[in-house]
Amino acid sequence: MKTTQLIFILFLFAFGLQAQEGFKLGLQAGLPIDDFNDEVSIAIGADVGYMWALNELIDLGLTAGLIYGFHETFQSDVVVADLPDIQFVPVAASVRIWPSNSFSFGIDGGQAFGLNDGNDGGLYYRPVIGYLFNANAEVNFSYTTINLDDRSWNSANLGILYTFPSNRR
């Protein structure tokens, strides 16, 4: 719990100090894999955060978002079962490495808080590979994992990230 509180405090601190540098807004859609594959048909997400450049190669930042998994409806001649939607709010630290001007890779890591009943959330990490296709927009591929008590949320995602013009990159 202390780690979660520390991440939250650092997140608020970063918003206050770095508001002019590297504000980012991202949207993604994903397909659930493994444990939630039969329960969730598709997942969408949105992220906001700040990144600042340590140098031309490495960016660090903090991000928060929403992941929403839409329930699957099973239909057959005998059984119709509606499952609940799955929602998480991840809060994470981010690192991006830029080996070239248009290609990046990195990871987000932190805590995902569950919003729906019976969902306590868990450890969150999301490796990301991105391609900057103009000065302010990036397309990326990511793999989200949230380690829950008895299962794991996994999804393969395709997203777009917009960097507001005040960013140095």
Side-chain angles (χ1 to χ4, degrees):
M1 190 65 174
K2 288 183 181 182
T3 304
T4 304
Q5 292 171 345
L6 178 63
I7 290 171
F8 183 71
I9 290 167
L10 289 173
F11 184 73
L12 292 176
F13 184 72
F15 266 113
L17 290 179
Q18 302 296 331
Q20 301 83 0
E21 183 179 345
F23 178 71
K24 297 183 182 252
L25 177 63
L27 299 171
Q28 65 265 349
L31 296 174
I33 299 170
D34 296 332
D35 292 344
F36 286 88
N37 188 37
D38 292 334
E39 298 174 32
V40 176
S41 59
I42 192 167
I44 60 171
D47 297 312
V48 297
Y50 287 98
M51 298 286 281
W52 59 94
L54 292 183
N55 55 42
E56 290 190 21
L57 182 66
I58 300 173
D59 290 350
L60 292 178
L62 295 170
T63 186
L66 175 68
I67 299 170
Y68 195 101
F70 292 94
H71 70 277
E72 182 73 74
T73 302
F74 297 102
Q75 296 182 0
S76 70
D77 293 339
V78 180
V79 177
V80 175
D82 287 327
L83 299 169
D85 292 341
I86 308 292
Q87 303 105 27
F88 297 100
V89 172
V91 177
S94 301
V95 63
R96 296 293 183 273
I97 299 171
W98 292 86
S100 73
N101 288 336
S102 58
F103 175 74
S104 70
F105 62 92
I107 192 165
D108 298 345
Q111 179 72 25
F113 301 95
L115 295 181
N116 55 299
D117 290 336
N119 180 359
D120 294 330
L123 178 68
Y124 164 82
Y125 56 96
R126 180 177 158 215
V128 179
I129 297 171
Y131 177 74
L132 197 64
F133 63 87
N134 73 28
N136 299 325
E138 169 187 300
V139 64
N140 58 47
F141 176 75
S142 64
Y143 187 86
T144 300
T145 298
I146 301 170
N147 292 324
L148 307 171
D149 288 336
D150 57 344
R151 299 173 14 165
S152 181
W153 169 274
N154 298 295
S155 64
N157 312 297
L158 182 63
I160 189 158
L161 179 72
Y162 181 78
T163 303
F164 288 87
S166 62
N167 192 359
R168 289 190 271 177
R169 195 170 291 290

